[in-house]
């Protein structure tokens, strides 16, 4: 049951979060490609925005608006970027999206020249990143703040923030980031005119790039250092670094870079009156620039040729190259226009096709969404049907159980009423019987009293007196028997204590007319002393003991009588022993007393064993008495 | 989307109702078992009483017969004594 509930809850939450996830996927894929294809990224983001709006997810809308802002910033459309990021802030409270929006607003404002606003937004972004412990984002933001200060010529602050960024990059072991931070610091110092400091930080950057084995980075750093040496007028050092840079560019196959470095070398050599050495560098630079069609380098090479020939007192050659330079610049302008038109045409066509593709994709996505919604709906309906079936089953089961229980209860109650009626009837019968016995008891007592009066009041012949004595004794015995029966029938259950006290009373009465007798009543430890017999069982046991004791006193002349109760295999055993003269069982088996004992044993469903021999006492063993 | 939300909410509510019914059934089962136990105990007690009473009744039936025989014997003897006394008295008178 619990398992089923879990599945339903998961399905429910998964359906709700599906829309959000899709918008986020659009956002992430756009951010992956915006550096290389910003227009495609914009189209994807606009699709994502539509989904977010349709799903009513403000968070995703805010995220996508901010991402659009970032892409437009990259395209140089700062005002639009600013608007989008501000709109994003209105839509979401998600701290990470808000921080990203602040960061974007900071960079955009910096580019728009609103430096105070830029710093304000960047500091807000920084405080969120710091609070969240996002060190990388914090380092990037510190770098951005440093750049803003650098633009405002607040060099101390700029260096402070760049150093903070550097520290964070180092903690993250991000050498590339640290190298960029060093570069920024070096640029700040260079702008401030502190070329030695600038040189120092460019060298730090160079060291990190070397550790990273990033040859392109190393080549750029060498070029930067070469430039600083050039401004420091350390021409030789400058040339060494430019040459190293050119070598590395050659190694990595960046020949346009090689051309640029050669142009630098040539320029330095011409300016420092070493024009003779400059010619091969200019030639190579010109060849590379033409091969790779790097316009700036072609122009620099033509300029260097012109300067070179002028330095060598060849004004005509210098003029010729100067003219070629001018013509090239003109042609470039024309070429630029043509290229731009062609590029625009291609761009237009590409964009058109991309739009078509995107439209198809959007249609597909829409269909996918519809199918997914339908599936969710079917799943929901199946779930509903299952739950209703389950509910029906449970209700049916409950009713079935109730009916069964009611039936059982009524059966039990009926049986109970029947048995109670029977019990009441029997109780009544027993009460009548008890009343009858009481009445008979009183009548018998009256008879005895009358007989006694007759005996002592009249002078009767001896034979009649003896007869009256016999009747009186018989009546007395009958009264005792009746009293015992009334005693047993008045009790619901009879305990060992009841039996012991009743027999003790009997022995006491019998003892008064003969010598003293020792009577022992013992219940074995194995027998539960709280054991209770039914009144009939108790009556029969009592009669057996009474008969045995009577025989022991009357015929065996015993002085010690022992009654013992044992327990064997959950059945009782009773043993009555005496130390009397005993008898021969074969001769006296037909006696009334023994017949009575047998009859009572039979009524107890037990077995009887009588062991006796002359002068060796008697043992009467009643065993296998059922444990009720 | 709204329709889906309503559908899943309905499913959730019905699941809750099913759990509630299940719990109610369990509680009912426990109560009924207890009631039945009480009834069974009562019945067992009454059956035992019935058995005891039957035993007593059987015993008393035979005992009463025996007792009547004895009473008859006593009456018979008393009548014989009465007869003897009367005979003796008549003989003395004659």
């Amino acid at each position: 049951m619990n398992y089923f509930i879990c599945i339903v809850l998961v399905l429910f939450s998964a359906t709700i979060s599906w829309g959000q996830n899709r918008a986020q996927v659009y956002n992430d894929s756009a951010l992956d490609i915006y550096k290389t294809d910003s227009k495609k990224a914009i189209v994807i983001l606009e699709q994502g925005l539509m989904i977010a709006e349709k799903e009513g997810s403000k968070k995703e809308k805010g995220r996508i608006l901010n991402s659009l802002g970032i892409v437009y910033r990259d395209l140089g459309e700062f005002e639009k970027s600013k608007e989008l990021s501000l709109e994003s802030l209105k839509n979401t409270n998600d701290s990470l999206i808000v921080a990203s929006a602040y960061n974007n607003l900071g960079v955009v404002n910096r580019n728009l020249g609103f430096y105070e606003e830029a710093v304000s937004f960047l500091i807000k972004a920084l405080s969120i990143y710091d609070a969240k412990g996002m060190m990388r984002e914090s380092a990037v933001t510190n770098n951005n703040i440093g750049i803003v200060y650098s633009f405002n010529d607040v060099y101390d602050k700029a260096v402070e923030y760049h150093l903070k960024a550097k520290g964070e990059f180092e903690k993250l072991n991000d050498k590339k980031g640290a190298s960029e931070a060093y570069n920024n610091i070096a640029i700040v110092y260079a702008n401030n005119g502190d070329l030695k400091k600038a040189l120092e930080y460019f060298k730090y950057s160079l060291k990190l790039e070397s550790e990273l084995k990033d040859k392109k980075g190393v080549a750029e750093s060498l070029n930067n250092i070469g430039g600083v040496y050039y401004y420091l007028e350390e021409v030789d050092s400058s040339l060494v670094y430019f040459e190293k840079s050119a070598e590395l560019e050659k190694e990595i196959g960046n020949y346009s870079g090689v051309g640029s470095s050669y142009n630098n070398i040539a320029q330095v050599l011409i300016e420092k009156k070493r024009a003779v050495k400059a010619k091969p560098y200019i030639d190579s630079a010109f060849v590379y620039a033409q091969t790779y069609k790097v316009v700036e380098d072609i122009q620099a090479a033509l300029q260097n040729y012109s300067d070179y020939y002028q330095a060598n007192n060849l004004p005509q050659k210098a003029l010729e190259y100067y003219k070629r330079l001018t013509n090239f610049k003109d042609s470039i302008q024309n070429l630029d226009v043509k290229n731009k038109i062609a590029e625009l045409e291609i761009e237009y066509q590409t964009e058109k096709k991309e739009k078509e593709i995107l439209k198809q994709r959007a249609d597909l996505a829409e269909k996918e969404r519809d199918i997914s919604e339908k599936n969710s709906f079917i799943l929901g309906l199946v779930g509903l049907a299952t739950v209703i079936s389950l509910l029906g089953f449970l209700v049916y089961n409950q009713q079935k159980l109730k009916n069964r229980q009611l039936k059982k209860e009524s059966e039990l109650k009926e049986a109970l009423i029947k048995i109670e009626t029977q019990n009441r009837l029997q109780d009544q019968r027993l009460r009548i019987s008890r009343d009858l016995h009481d009445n008979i008891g009183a009548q018998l007592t009256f008879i005895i009293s009358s007989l006694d009066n007759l005996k002592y009041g009249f002078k009767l012949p001896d034979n009649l007196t003896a007869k009256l004595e016999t009747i009186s004794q018989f009546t007395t015995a009958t009264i005792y028997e009746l009293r015992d029966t009334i005693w047993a029938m008045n009790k619901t259950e009879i305990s060992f204590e009841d039996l012991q006290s009743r027999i003790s009373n009997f022995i006491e009465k019998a003892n008064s007319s003969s010598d003293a007798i020792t009577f022992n009543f013992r219940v074995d430890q194995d027998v539960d002393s709280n054991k209770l017999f039914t009144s009939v069982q108790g009556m029969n046991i009592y009669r057996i003991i009474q008969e045995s004791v009577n025989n022991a006193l009357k015929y065996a002349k015993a002085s010690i009588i022992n009654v013992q109760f044992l327990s064997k295999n959950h059945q009782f055993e009773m043993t009555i022993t005496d130390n009397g003269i005993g008898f021969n069982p074969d001769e006296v088996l037909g006696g009334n007393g023994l017949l009575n004992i047998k009859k009572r044993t039979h009524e107890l469903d037990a077995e009887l064993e009588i062991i006796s021999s002359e002068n060796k006492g008697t043992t009467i063993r009643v065993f296998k008495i059922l444990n009720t | 989307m709204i329709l889906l939300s309503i559908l899943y909410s309905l499913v959730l509510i019905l699941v809750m109702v099913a759990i509630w019914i299940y719990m109610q059934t369990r509680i009912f089962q426990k109560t009924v078992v207890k009631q039945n136990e009480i009834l069974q105990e009562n019945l067992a007690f009454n059956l035992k009483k019935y058995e005891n009473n039957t035993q007593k009744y059987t015993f008393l039936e035979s005992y009463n017969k025996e007792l009547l025989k004895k009473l008859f014997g006593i009456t018979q003897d008393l009548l014989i004594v009465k007869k003897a006394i009367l005979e003796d008295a008549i003989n003395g008178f004659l």
Side-chain angles (χ1 to χ4, degrees), chain A residues 133-342:
Chain A
M134 298 171 76
M135 206 179 268
R136 189 176 302 282
E137 285 75 9
S138 169
V140 172
T141 312
N142 273 322
N143 240 349
N144 286 334
I145 297 171
I147 292 167
V148 178
Y149 279 122
S150 176
F151 280 7
N152 281 286
D153 298 336
V154 187
Y155 299 119
D156 294 344
K157 280 272 183 190
V159 170
E160 184 189 321
Y161 277 96
H162 285 311
L163 282 171
K164 267 189 201 172
K166 181 217 77 169
E168 283 166 337
F169 281 127
E170 277 175 351
K171 271 184 197 167
L172 291 163
N173 202 23
D174 182 350
K175 289 185 177 174
K176 192 75 192 166
S179 166
E180 279 172 16
Y182 277 128
N183 253 337
N184 286 334
I185 296 167
I187 290 165
V188 172
Y189 280 124
N191 289 338
N192 197 22
D194 191 346
L195 292 173
K196 284 193 175 171
K197 280 265 187 190
L199 187 64
E200 188 185 332
Y201 280 98
F202 275 135
K203 280 184 176 175
Y204 287 146
S205 173
L206 174 66
K207 193 185 165 198
L208 288 175
E209 295 291 351
S210 305
E211 280 173 12
L212 286 167
K213 294 181 181 167
D214 181 355
K215 288 185 177 176
K216 188 162 170 54
V218 172
E220 280 171 6
S221 291
L222 287 170
N223 216 17
N224 286 335
I225 294 169
V228 175
Y229 275 124
Y230 171 71
Y231 287 113
L232 283 168
E233 296 190 346
E234 290 184 29
V235 179
D236 293 332
S237 299
S238 166
L239 286 171
V240 168
Y241 280 98
F242 282 140
E243 274 171 4
K244 275 185 186 172
S245 171
E247 269 173 39
L248 275 175
E249 298 280 17
K250 211 181 258 182
E251 260 182 52
I252 59 174
N254 182 15
Y255 290 101
S256 58
V258 178
S260 173
S261 291
Y262 280 172
N263 269 332
N264 285 339
I265 294 167
Q267 192 185 346
V268 173
L269 288 171
I270 292 162
E271 279 185 25
K272 299 303 168 191
K273 315 288 185 203
R274 297 184 198 169
V276 186
K277 289 182 181 175
K279 181 73 165 54
Y281 288 110
I282 303 169
D283 290 340
S284 296
F286 190 57
V287 170
Y288 288 136
Q290 277 188 317
T291 310
Y292 293 99
K293 294 178 181 171
V294 185
V295 175
E296 289 80 10
D297 287 347
I298 293 171
Q299 286 179 16
L302 288 170
Q303 182 68 53
N304 280 339
Y305 270 129
S306 174
D307 293 343
Y308 167 76
Y309 285 119
Q310 198 166 358
N312 284 313
N313 291 323
L314 293 165
Q316 272 190 328
K317 275 273 188 189
L319 186 63
E320 182 193 328
Y321 275 99
Y322 189 74
K323 278 180 182 170
R324 275 180 74 178
L325 175 66
T326 316
N327 290 335
F328 182 74
K329 277 182 180 171
D330 290 343
S331 71
I332 286 301
Q333 276 175 353
N334 290 333
L335 200 67
D336 275 350
V337 173
K338 279 179 189 170
N339 282 343
K340 272 185 185 172
I341 290 166

Side-chain angles (χ1 to χ4, degrees), chain A residues 16 48 57 59 110 147 181 190 193 220 283 307 316 325 351 461 473 490 566:
Chain A
I16 290 168
S57 168
K59 183 185 167 186
R110 183 188 74 198
I147 292 167
E220 280 171 6
D283 290 340
D307 293 343
Q316 272 190 328
L325 175 66
E351 201 173 307
Q473 276 176 2
N490 279 344
L566 305 166

Side-chain angles (χ1 to χ4, degrees), chain A residues 306-435:
Chain A
S306 174
D307 293 343
Y308 167 76
Y309 285 119
Q310 198 166 358
N312 284 313
N313 291 323
L314 293 165
Q316 272 190 328
K317 275 273 188 189
L319 186 63
E320 182 193 328
Y321 275 99
Y322 189 74
K323 278 180 182 170
R324 275 180 74 178
L325 175 66
T326 316
N327 290 335
F328 182 74
K329 277 182 180 171
D330 290 343
S331 71
I332 286 301
Q333 276 175 353
N334 290 333
L335 200 67
D336 275 350
V337 173
K338 279 179 189 170
N339 282 343
K340 272 185 185 172
I341 290 166
E343 270 176 23
L344 280 172
E345 181 64 28
I346 291 164
E347 216 171 89
Y348 169 73
Q349 292 296 338
T350 315
E351 201 173 307
K352 202 177 164 186
K353 278 180 184 169
E354 273 177 2
K355 271 185 183 171
E356 277 173 15
I357 292 165
L358 281 170
K359 200 183 166 193
Q360 281 174 355
R361 276 187 192 167
D363 288 345
L364 274 174
E366 193 69 23
K367 277 178 189 168
E368 255 178 47
R369 199 174 69 89
D370 285 348
I371 290 165
S372 154
E373 260 182 24
K374 272 180 192 166
N375 285 344
S376 303
F377 196 73
I378 290 165
L379 194 70
L381 283 176
V382 170
L384 188 69
T386 313
V387 174
I388 288 171
S389 309
L390 181 74
L391 208 63
F393 171 73
L394 285 172
V395 171
Y396 169 74
N397 202 27
Q398 195 186 39
Q399 286 306 317
K400 201 175 149 189
L401 193 76
K402 272 185 183 173
N403 290 339
R404 204 166 55 204
Q405 292 304 336
L406 278 172
K407 200 178 164 190
K408 200 175 173 184
E409 201 178 304
S410 68
E411 276 172 8
L412 277 171
K413 278 182 179 168
E414 208 176 313
L416 197 62
I417 288 164
K418 265 187 194 172
I419 201 87
E420 276 176 350
T421 313
Q422 289 292 326
N423 279 342
R424 271 200 296 275
L425 193 69
Q426 283 190 334
D427 279 342
Q428 218 164 354
R429 281 175 181 164
L430 288 172
R431 199 169 54 247
I432 292 165
S433 188
R434 212 175 296 136
D435 290 347

Side-chain angles (χ1 to χ4, degrees), chain B residues 14-79:
Chain B
L14 287 179
V15 167
M16 296 291 185
V17 172
I19 292 167
W20 182 76
I21 290 174
Y22 177 73
M23 300 298 285
Q24 288 293 106
T25 312
R26 290 298 298 267
I27 292 166
F28 173 75
Q29 244 175 338
K30 277 182 188 170
T31 317
V32 155
V33 165
K34 218 172 185 178
Q35 274 179 354
N36 277 354
E37 269 173 17
I38 293 166
L39 279 172
Q40 295 270 20
E41 274 173 25
N42 216 344
L43 188 66
F45 171 76
N46 275 293
L47 276 171
K48 200 180 172 189
K49 194 180 169 188
Y50 177 74
E51 203 183 319
N52 278 345
N53 282 348
T54 312
Q55 269 186 14
K56 275 185 188 176
Y57 186 73
T58 318
F59 177 81
L60 282 175
E61 214 172 25
S62 71
Y63 175 74
N64 285 343
K65 276 181 191 169
E66 210 176 302
L67 185 63
L68 281 174
K69 268 185 200 171
K70 280 180 181 175
L71 287 175
F72 182 72
I74 289 166
T75 314
Q76 204 176 19
D77 283 351
L78 283 172
L79 285 172

Side-chain angles (χ1 to χ4, degrees), chain A residues 514-527:
Chain A
S514 60
D515 296 333
I517 288 168
T518 309
F519 175 69
N520 296 315
F521 189 93
R522 199 158 69 84
V523 179
D524 210 73
Q525 280 182 339
D526 293 340
V527 179

